[in-house]
Structure formats: C-alpha cells, structure tokens
Amino acid sequence: MAKLCVQLDDIHAAAGRIAKHAHRTPVLRCASIDRILGAELYFKCENFQKVGAFKFRGACNAVACLSKEELKRGVATHSSGNHAAALELAAKLSGSSAHIVMPSNASAVKKAAVEGYGAKITYCEPTLEARESTLAQILEDEGRTLIHPYNDSRIIAGQGTAALELLEEVEDLDVLMAPVGGGGLLSGTSIAVSEALPSAKVIGAEPLNADDACRSMEAGEIQPSHDPQTIADGLLTSLGDLTFSIIRERCSGIVTASEESIIEAMRLVWERMKIIIEPSAAVPVAALLEKRGDIPGNRVGVIISGGNVDLDRLPWVE
Amino acid sequence: MAKLCVQLDDIHAAAGRIAKHAHRTPVLRCASIDRILGAELYFKCENFQKVGAFKFRGACNAVACLSKEELKRGVATHSSGNHAAALELAAKLSGSSAHIVMPSNASAVKKAAVEGYGAKITYCEPTLEARESTLAQILEDEGRTLIHPYNDSRIIAGQGTAALELLEEVEDLDVLMAPVGGGGLLSGTSIAVSEALPSAKVIGAEPLNADDACRSMEAGEIQPSHDPQTIADGLLTSLGDLTFSIIRERCSGIVTASEESIIEAMRLVWERMKIIIEPSAAVPVAALLEKRGDIPGNRVGVIISGGNVDLDRLPWVE
C-alpha cells in the first residue's frame, strides 16, 4: 500500500491524546433495522460524543498536538457547524482559545451551539471566498494556528479513532460505513480499517444531491460541489487533497442516497432506536435502505456522525 | 419493615426469568444536565428497552410465571399504550397470545405499535367502565389470564429489575427517582432500593395535573384521578391497592411537575443527551428543574421510563 500522510500509528497516538477528554461512545444495535436491511448493524454513536459529533475527536487531537506557544496564541477555523463547536471546546479544555469564521446563513441551532461554548465568532458572507479571506485576515492579525475542518493530518488521525474503537468492540466486521463531506471521517476510518482489519471494506455515503466525492472517485481528480441542495448540512463541502488521496487509495467505494431516503432513514433511527441523529448521520442508513452497498448477511459497522438537529424544524413536520 | 406482596427475592427471580428476552439497558450521564441541576444524574435508559419502555420487564416476568395450560389459553389486558405492546411481545416470545382492550381514543402511534406486534385488539369506549366490562367478557369467553398493567405482584417484581440493574452498575446512589402513574414501576423500584440499598431515598414524580398519587399519600387512602389533562399520557391512571400499600410503606415522597416543566425537561434531554424520551419519562427531570426533590450534591438515579413518541406531533412544534 502507498505511504499516506496518516498511518495507523498516528490514529493510535491520537486515541491516547484524546482519551481524557473524548467520550468512548457506545455501540448500539437494533433488531428491527437489522430485519429491514437483512444484515447485522453496529452503530457507533458519535451523536453521544462531546458537542454531539465525531468532530470533537479530530479537533481535540489537533489542539493536543500544538506547542505551548501555539496554544497561547490560539486557533482559528472556518466552519458552519460541528467543527466550530468542537474546536472551541477542545481549545477551551486545553487553556487555549478559538476564533471561528461562520457564514451568516448558518442555522440558528449551530450558531447557538458555537456561541454557547464561548467562542469568538466573526460572521461573513456565505461564500467560500468570503470565508477564506476573512479567516486569512484573522490568522495574520492574531497569529493563531489554522485548524482546517478536514484537510489536516491531525484531524484525520483524530477522526479515525471512532473506527478504531468500533473495531476493538465488535469483531469480524465485514463492512464499515461513514458519511463523506470533506472526507476527514471517511479518511480516518479508511486508514484504521485498511490497516487494522484489511479483510473489511470501507464504504462512504453521501447525498445524491452532493455527490462530489462519488464524481471525484470516478474522475480521478477532485470535483467541486456546485451549491449542493441537501438536508444533510454537514456534507456540503468537497474533498481536500489529503482526504481525496486517502479515500482513493483505501476506500472501497462511495454510495449515494436521495433526500427522501435520508429523511426516511433519520426517522427510522429515531423511531426504532430512540436516538437523535442529524440528517448527515442518516446518509449511510439511507443508502442501505436504497439497497446500495451490497451488505445482505454482513456484519456492518456504521458511524453515526452526529446528533445536532434543530428540534423546531424537523424534516417530516410541515 | 412490614411484609409486602413483593420481596427483593421476587425481583431477583424476575431478573433471572426475563434475562433471555429483556435488554440490560445502558446507564447514561450528561455533564450539562448535571451542571443545570447541581447533582450527579445517572439515567437508566428504559427507552432503549424492547417495545421502547420498562413495561416489557413486568409483562415478560408475568408471562414467564404462567403454566403451560395458561400459556396455551393466552393472556389479556386493557391498556392504552406501552403495557399492551409489552404484553403482546412477551406473549409472542413465549409461544402464547394476547388479546388487548384499547380505548378508541388511544394515540395513533400507540395503536400502530400494538397492531405492529400482531396483537388481537378490541377497541372500546374510552371509559374505565367500558374497558373493564369489555375485558371481563373476553376473559370469560376465551379463558385467558388477566395481566393487569400494574396492580399485580408479578408485574411489580418485573418492573423492579430496572432499579436492581441500576444499583448494580452505579454505587452509592443517594436517591432514585421514577415516574408514577399506576405505580408498578415506583413500587418495584421502592422495594428493590429499600431492601438492597436502605440508605437511599426513592422519590416518585407525577404531573401536577395528575397528582392523585401525591394526594393519595397525603390522604392515607387511594384518591382517584378525575379526567386528568396532561401530556404525560403514561401517567393517567390511579394507584391500585397493591401499589398504594408498597409506595406508602417504602417510598420517601412524591413530587410534581407542571406541564410546562415536563415539556422543557423532555426537550432538554433530547437536545443534550440525543435520546428520545416520552413525556411521562421526562416528569422526574421536570420536577428536578422545578427544584423539587432536594437533590443538590447528590448522586441521583433516574429511571427513564420510555421513548414512544408521536414524531409528527412534538409538544414544542406548533
């Protein structure tokens, strides 16, 4: 296998670094969803992680890698959601601080979450250009360290710890599935699984309406997202060069799910498992409901990426 | 202590009988709810139990106590909700059958749940008289065994197994809380705790709008519910003679919660813990939000009774 920027050892090291702050989340099962899909599913519940999403793992690892001097100057990033809250909490727990650039159209619930953790926030126009130029100015003015949401080897190693825990807890999985947006979680998962359990496949899942990862794999180069319209608001971004090269090398395939299936899968998990998952987290289950992924009879690990939902606006309520 | 119809040994025996069918549900914690309440809370998650409620424990124990001949003739009960689904599944798993009398105004989601488990259902007028006369006719015609939802020592012993598991998993609890409707769960909890951990208090919680248990304790005799109007639809019934005598003897007190607090508590648990709980399950947390129960600094076990909610009709969505 080609040498990548993140190795299994890096994921093990990340697991050690984040152990005192991150939750070891439970793995839940659901007999009725197993019956519906004709497979054994093991749900790694990162909706129960701190800040309600796997993002805390990567952010916590990245902050733990900083020098005292870097911690003192603080960190910065642009994010519309879970990465912002995760980075702010990780910085706070290490006696550092975070400055977050958020698009002005971020959802109220995500704004409130980031504000609730006490981050310094600068709102900008909701374009990638505005985000990047605003962030560049902050990095220059304040001397902070950039912690990119996904295209960063410390972040990728941190996200891989969820799969590592799942492999430790459940033996002989045939397949692991994770949603893919920028690809940090899927990259970390792909490295952990391809090195620790090479017999298993890793499958990424994304909304059909934001199928840039699928198109990127087919084209052999990163394809951009064009203003994707999907309820899975954590999966809007395109791959970065690091995540693209890892996924291309180590992931068995990307499957897609329609908006209708995503809502159906989200509701199915709420009803049958009594856990709250966000639309992005429902995408792998949605793809399985569409009979994608070829898993019947298999033991399938699914990383439930997060549970941050605006409870005032549920997709199935008019 | 006075000799009651259910002893700790009966709860241990129930635990053995139900072990192969019931889930040993997880105990979850939540740092932010601990901060809000100024105490350490341990949530015993019976919303993850089979049929989504603790009721499966009692039903499963009651069915396991039947003779072969009784199993062959089947069981019957009247219930508007979780007990019906629980009894039907318990009967099915033991090769028996259940006939359920439901009020015609039961919620669509509860009707669908009971129908989904394949029970034979007879709908009746939504009055206690209609329920009882319809059930009496079925018992006479079909020779089935009545399994009362709460005023039955087998049911009480089964419900007590949730507290037993919580005591096994979390040491040195100061207080255990459970909601009280008919009193099966609170009775079983009171016996388990008063005998296995006599230093701990047991506190029941009920809606202020259905405060018959509180009034019954004050009056020293069972006080009826008068058409109570509460969102906590699992807590509408009054105590029975068995549950009243156990709660009077072994429970430290009953606290109440307003409808507003119940909805606030339910939403708080959904948002912070990412788990789905039904309004009845939120009542102990609601009472704590109202600063009832005198728990600051304590280690408090809370039995989350169930998670069956109509996702199309959330109380905070217009």
Side-chain angles (χ1 to χ4, degrees):
Chain A
M1 292 190 285
K3 176 94 174 165
L4 297 168
C5 67
V6 178
Q7 307 290 314
L8 182 60
D9 284 350
D10 299 312
I11 301 176
H12 278 294
R17 278 185 212 108
I18 71 175
K20 78 172 165 183
H21 292 310
H23 293 311
R24 187 178 176 103
T25 53
V27 177
L28 297 183
R29 302 204 54 197
C30 180
S32 63
I33 296 181
D34 280 2
R35 270 196 301 276
I36 290 168
L37 297 175
E40 285 177 36
L41 271 73
Y42 296 84
F43 296 92
K44 175 68 173 166
C45 289
E46 290 297 299
N47 51 332
F48 296 157
Q49 188 51 267
K50 280 192 180 160
V51 312
F54 75 92
K55 294 273 187 183
F56 182 70
R57 294 175 180 269
C60 194
N61 184 50
V63 169
C65 290
L66 299 179
S67 69
K68 276 190 183 170
E69 180 55 32
E70 288 169 322
L71 284 173
K72 200 172 152 195
R73 290 196 306 267
V75 293
T77 198
H78 62 77
S79 164
S80 58
N82 290 329
H83 175 62
L87 187 62
E88 166 56 22
L89 181 61
K92 190 154 79 177
L93 291 170
S94 294
S96 186
S97 72
H99 192 154
I100 309 294
V101 175
M102 285 186 90
S104 52
N105 66 346
S107 75
V109 69
K110 293 202 166 168
K111 280 182 186 172
V114 178
E115 288 167 1
Y117 288 109
K120 188 170 175 185
I121 305 175
T122 297
Y123 291 100
C124 71
E125 292 300 301
T127 66
L128 186 60
E129 293 68 32
R131 283 184 179 207
E132 289 184 342
S133 63
T134 308
L135 180 60
Q137 194 63 48
I138 288 169
L139 294 173
E140 192 182 317
D141 292 350
E142 303 181 1
R144 292 175 182 269
T145 302
L146 167 65
I147 309 288
H148 190 277
Y150 50 89
N151 205 44
D152 178 311
S153 60
R154 301 162 297 187
I155 292 287
I156 294 168
Q159 318 303 30
T161 60
L164 211 58
E165 289 176 9
L166 180 53
L167 294 181
E168 282 168 10
E169 195 155 333
V170 185
E171 290 187 343
D172 298 329
L173 288 172
D174 300 301
V175 179
L176 272 89
M177 295 187 73
V180 53
L185 178 64
L186 185 59
S187 296
T189 302
S190 296
I191 293 162
V193 174
S194 62
E195 298 192 18
L197 185 68
S199 62
K201 288 196 295 184
V202 175
I203 299 175
E206 67 183 351
L208 184 61
N209 286 3
D211 67 344
D212 55 286
C214 194
R215 288 186 287 108
S216 298
M217 291 303 124
E218 281 169 12
E221 58 184 7
I222 299 173
Q223 301 296 307
S225 289
H226 302 292
D227 187 24
Q229 300 297 317
T230 172
I231 189 175
D233 61 348
L235 306 179
L236 300 175
T237 45
S238 310
L239 300 175
D241 60 336
L242 298 183
T243 56
F244 172 74
S245 63
I246 294 169
I247 292 168
R248 195 179 181 195
E249 174 83 23
R250 299 289 174 86
C251 176
S252 300
I254 311 283
V255 291
T256 59
S258 69
E259 295 299 296
E260 198 177 25
S261 297
I262 295 169
I263 295 170
E264 183 188 345
M266 180 177 163
R267 184 169 177 148
L268 182 73
V269 169
W270 285 42
E271 277 185 350
R272 304 299 174 98
M273 298 185 68
K274 312 299 180 189
I275 63 174
I276 291 178
I277 69 171
E278 59 187 69
S280 303
V283 173
V285 179
L288 296 180
L289 285 175
E290 291 187 23
K291 303 194 187 306
R292 296 180 201 277
D294 190 24
I295 57 125
N298 283 357
R299 289 161 66 81
V300 182
V302 177
I303 300 181
I304 294 292
S305 52
N308 293 320
V309 172
D310 184 346
L311 293 175
D312 288 319
R313 296 162 59 110
L314 299 183
W316 51 78
V317 177
E318 292 293 310
Chain B
M1 290 190 286
K3 177 92 176 166
L4 297 168
C5 66
V6 178
Q7 307 289 316
L8 183 60
D9 285 349
D10 298 314
I11 301 177
H12 279 295
R17 276 184 214 109
I18 72 175
K20 77 173 167 184
H21 292 310
H23 293 311
R24 188 178 176 105
T25 54
V27 177
L28 297 183
R29 303 205 52 197
C30 180
S32 63
I33 295 181
D34 280 2
R35 271 196 302 276
I36 291 168
L37 297 175
E40 285 178 36
L41 271 74
Y42 296 85
F43 296 93
K44 176 68 173 166
C45 290
E46 290 296 299
N47 51 333
F48 295 157
Q49 188 52 267
K50 280 192 180 159
V51 312
F54 76 91
K55 294 274 187 182
F56 183 69
R57 294 175 181 271
C60 195
N61 184 50
V63 169
C65 290
L66 298 179
S67 68
K68 276 190 184 170
E69 181 55 32
E70 287 169 323
L71 285 173
K72 200 172 152 194
R73 289 197 305 266
V75 295
T77 198
H78 61 78
S79 163
S80 59
N82 290 329
H83 175 64
L87 186 62
E88 167 55 21
L89 181 60
K92 190 153 80 178
L93 291 171
S94 294
S96 186
S97 71
H99 192 155
I100 309 295
V101 175
M102 286 187 89
S104 52
N105 66 345
S107 76
V109 69
K110 294 202 165 166
K111 280 183 187 172
V114 178
E115 287 167 1
Y117 288 109
K120 187 171 175 185
I121 304 174
T122 297
Y123 292 101
C124 70
E125 291 301 300
T127 66
L128 187 59
E129 293 67 30
R131 283 185 181 207
E132 289 182 343
S133 63
T134 307
L135 180 60
Q137 193 63 50
I138 287 168
L139 293 174
E140 192 183 315
D141 293 350
E142 302 181 4
R144 292 175 182 269
T145 302
L146 168 65
I147 308 288
H148 190 276
Y150 50 87
N151 205 45
D152 178 311
S153 59
R154 301 162 296 187
I155 293 288
I156 294 169
Q159 317 304 30
T161 60
L164 210 60
E165 289 176 8
L166 181 52
L167 294 180
E168 283 168 8
E169 194 155 333
V170 185
E171 290 188 343
D172 297 330
L173 288 172
D174 300 301
V175 180
L176 270 90
M177 295 187 74
V180 52
L185 178 63
L186 185 59
S187 296
T189 302
S190 296
I191 293 163
V193 174
S194 62
E195 298 192 18
L197 185 69
S199 62
K201 287 195 296 185
V202 175
I203 299 175
E206 67 183 350
L208 183 61
N209 286 3
D211 67 345
D212 55 285
C214 195
R215 289 186 287 106
S216 299
M217 291 302 124
E218 282 170 11
E221 58 184 4
I222 299 173
Q223 301 295 307
S225 290
H226 302 292
D227 187 24
Q229 299 296 318
T230 172
I231 189 174
D233 62 347
L235 307 179
L236 300 175
T237 45
S238 312
L239 300 175
D241 60 337
L242 297 182
T243 57
F244 172 74
S245 63
I246 293 169
I247 291 168
R248 195 178 181 197
E249 174 83 22
R250 299 288 174 87
C251 176
S252 299
I254 311 283
V255 292
T256 59
S258 69
E259 296 298 297
E260 199 177 24
S261 297
I262 295 169
I263 294 169
E264 184 188 345
M266 180 177 163
R267 184 169 177 148
L268 182 72
V269 169
W270 285 41
E271 277 186 351
R272 303 299 173 99
M273 298 185 67
K274 313 298 181 190
I275 62 173
I276 290 177
I277 68 171
E278 59 187 69
S280 304
V283 173
V285 179
L288 296 179
L289 286 175
E290 291 188 23
K291 303 194 188 307
R292 298 180 200 278
D294 190 24
I295 57 123
N298 282 358
R299 289 161 65 82
V300 182
V302 177
I303 300 182
I304 294 291
S305 51
N308 292 321
V309 173
D310 185 346
L311 294 174
D312 289 319
R313 297 162 60 111
L314 299 183
W316 51 77
V317 177
E318 294 292 311

